[in-house]
Amino acid sequence: MSPTDSKPLALVTGAGGGIGLGVSRMLARRGFQVIAVEVDGEAADRAAHAIGADTIAVVCDATDRAQVGALCARVRGEWSARLDVLVCNAGVVVPGRVSDADPADLDTQLSVLLASPLQVIAAATEGMRARGRGHVLATVSMGGVLALPGSAAYSAAKAGLRAFLAALSAELRGTGVAVSGVYPSGVDTAMLRHEARHGGSMLNFVGKILSVDDVVRGYERALRTRRLEVFLPFGDSLVSRAMALSPGLSNRAIPFMERVGRRGHARYLSRKGLT
């Protein structure tokens, strides 16, 4: 048996991006052998190189059912005895009004953000439950709590993922398997920069823009506390959760929040040299 064969495994989807790479490196430091899942071979190899020498590079396009099925088969098969942590982090957003949306873009967002994670989580929890240990985590988003105009499909997928994690947590109660969702507001990543330049929701820019390190610390807190929901920052979540109690009423406040967000958006563009 090689030294890596005795290490616990942590599978991270979207491992080459800002949050995914940060979380993967953190897990490697904590003694996990990381399975870095990315959309193509180049991205997977690049992520594996950045994470560490014993990282396993895996290709899986979350919009391809056959590839998702193949990944799930490996989770249930060759990795089941050592997979202790699953992080569903792969993300995509196509900003724009629903009336202007391309059906293919709607399908892509639902596949990457909801359908694929559900399949991989189901595969992982099968082995975790049998062994009586494990931790399922996912990057959800504050957009799964408070719906984002201009990113409706993204919010719908993230809200569905939140509900799925809550139900899964109840099903796994007492089994030794924990479930956690990490809920950041806007994070300074390539995705947010894309949204900033292509009509993303102004609600992303209402509060403080988080760093990737902030989110990694949120993941560390989730691993330590095994809490179902970790909100970043907590203060922003109080407003979002309160508004989510009455969507009709909160929609009346959206124009005001968007005005605040536009000021934050302008500051972000200027700070990042994107103007």
Side-chain angles (χ1 to χ4, degrees), residues 8-92:
L9 292 172
L11 188 153
V12 182
T13 67
I19 294 172
L21 183 57
V23 171
S24 295
R25 285 172 163 166
M26 176 269 290
L27 290 167
R29 290 194 300 270
R30 293 170 72 103
F32 289 92
Q33 183 179 11
V34 177
I35 302 168
V37 181
E38 266 295 349
V39 67
D40 58 44
E42 182 180 348
D45 289 343
R46 187 167 56 245
H49 178 75
I51 295 162
D54 66 353
T55 302
I56 302 168
V58 176
V59 174
C60 180
D61 180 344
T63 66
D64 186 316
R65 288 189 177 186
Q67 291 188 34
V68 174
L71 176 63
C72 291
R74 298 185 75 179
V75 169
R76 288 190 169 97
E78 65 186 280
W79 298 324
S80 64
R82 291 196 291 136
L83 185 62
D84 279 2
V85 170
L86 170 65
V87 176
C88 289
N89 171 74
V92 65

Side-chain angles (χ1 to χ4, degrees), residues 90-226:
V92 65
V93 63
V94 183
R97 295 181 301 183
V98 173
S99 58
D100 298 329
D102 185 320
D105 289 337
L106 297 176
D107 285 344
T108 293
Q109 291 174 92
L110 291 174
S111 294
V112 173
L113 301 170
L114 185 59
S116 173
L118 266 56
Q119 296 293 337
V120 179
I121 289 170
T125 53
E126 184 178 318
M128 290 178 178
R129 185 168 192 161
R131 289 184 293 121
R133 70 174 189 274
H135 201 155
V136 173
L137 305 102
T139 306
V140 186
S141 166
M142 210 76 80
V145 179
L146 179 64
L148 302 176
S151 298
Y154 176 89
S155 284
K158 291 296 189 179
L161 183 58
R162 184 189 189 194
F164 179 81
L165 294 176
L168 178 66
S169 177
E171 290 182 10
L172 294 174
R173 184 177 178 85
T175 66
V177 182
V179 178
S180 299
V182 177
Y183 294 75
S185 53
V187 185
D188 185 20
T189 61
M191 182 182 291
L192 186 66
R193 292 189 287 275
H194 172 78
E195 291 186 82
R197 289 176 293 181
H198 296 91
S201 174
M202 288 298 107
L203 300 190
N204 286 314
F205 305 95
V206 169
K208 174 189 174 184
I209 301 298
L210 301 172
S211 69
V212 167
D213 286 344
D214 290 328
V215 183
V216 172
R217 284 190 287 271
Y219 263 96
E220 290 181 301
R221 191 184 318 151
L223 287 166
R224 183 178 67 253
T225 64
R226 297 168 73 87

